[in-house]
Amino acid sequence: MKTFDIWTLVDYLPTRMPLERDTIQTILGAVLRETDSNEFTAFFEGGPVLLKNDVEIESIDLRVNRERASRRLLVLKFAGKCVTKAEVFGRNQGLELTDHPRGRSLDEETSWSVKQSWGQLSFGFSERNPDCLRTVVFKTD
């Protein structure tokens, strides 16, 4: 298994679309356990995974739509060394505000997203620590 830094990983994952459970396990070196399932969606979770520069993926959440095989949602939740908002905006042009906290919890996030040919890439910053990246979301159409 290759150890990635966060930006190499963010660039690499979209080249492996659609994101399959086995593919993610191979790339990240983490086991994804099926945690729930219904007639519409299969849910998988895994982690933690240590990336380069002491950045940690605290948890991996993959959701696979059973009705539309190409539809996937992958959420990577980060911990460890802070990846700053300035770093995120410096590396990703065209980000637009797509979600904001509603005052229910310090864990709610402000999300900034950009459309890609494969779907949408989003970066979330929690109210608890608003300058540090908390989530990266890959959402395919």
Side-chain angles (χ1 to χ4, degrees):
M1 180 205 68
K2 184 176 178 180
T3 303
F4 292 93
D5 66 53
I6 184 173
W7 301 117
T8 303
L9 181 63
V10 167
D11 292 342
Y12 183 70
L13 284 171
T15 69
R16 299 297 175 245
M17 295 293 181
L19 294 170
E20 301 288 347
R21 176 185 182 189
D22 292 344
T23 303
I24 295 167
Q25 290 182 136
T26 300
I27 292 169
L28 294 176
V31 174
L32 295 180
R33 302 167 311 283
E34 187 164 356
T35 57
D36 197 7
S37 186
N38 60 44
E39 63 185 285
F40 305 107
T41 308
F43 299 86
F44 303 94
E45 293 180 0
V49 174
L50 186 61
L51 302 178
K52 288 184 179 177
N53 304 319
D54 296 322
V55 174
E56 179 183 342
I57 299 172
E58 181 179 82
S59 66
I60 304 161
D61 177 3
L62 174 65
R63 298 172 189 194
V64 178
N65 186 298
R66 294 183 188 278
E67 294 181 322
R68 271 185 64 189
S70 63
R71 187 173 285 172
R72 303 276 193 276
L73 179 71
L74 175 64
V75 180
L76 304 177
K77 189 177 283 187
F78 288 89
K81 183 180 175 194
C82 176
V83 177
T84 67
K85 193 179 286 184
E87 286 179 76
V88 172
F89 278 83
R91 295 190 57 93
N92 297 276
Q93 280 64 52
L95 290 171
E96 295 182 9
L97 181 65
T98 51
D99 200 8
H100 59 85
R102 289 164 178 72
R104 293 184 214 113
S105 165
L106 290 175
D107 294 321
E108 290 184 307
E109 296 183 0
T110 300
S111 296
W112 300 85
S113 304
V114 63
K115 290 187 188 250
Q116 303 285 342
S117 60
W118 48 264
Q120 182 173 284
L121 175 62
S122 300
F123 299 92
F125 300 86
S126 74
E127 285 293 286
R128 187 175 307 279
N129 198 354
D131 190 50
C132 293
L133 180 66
R134 183 62 173 147
T135 58
V136 175
V137 178
F138 301 83
K139 182 179 179 184
T140 61
D141 297 326

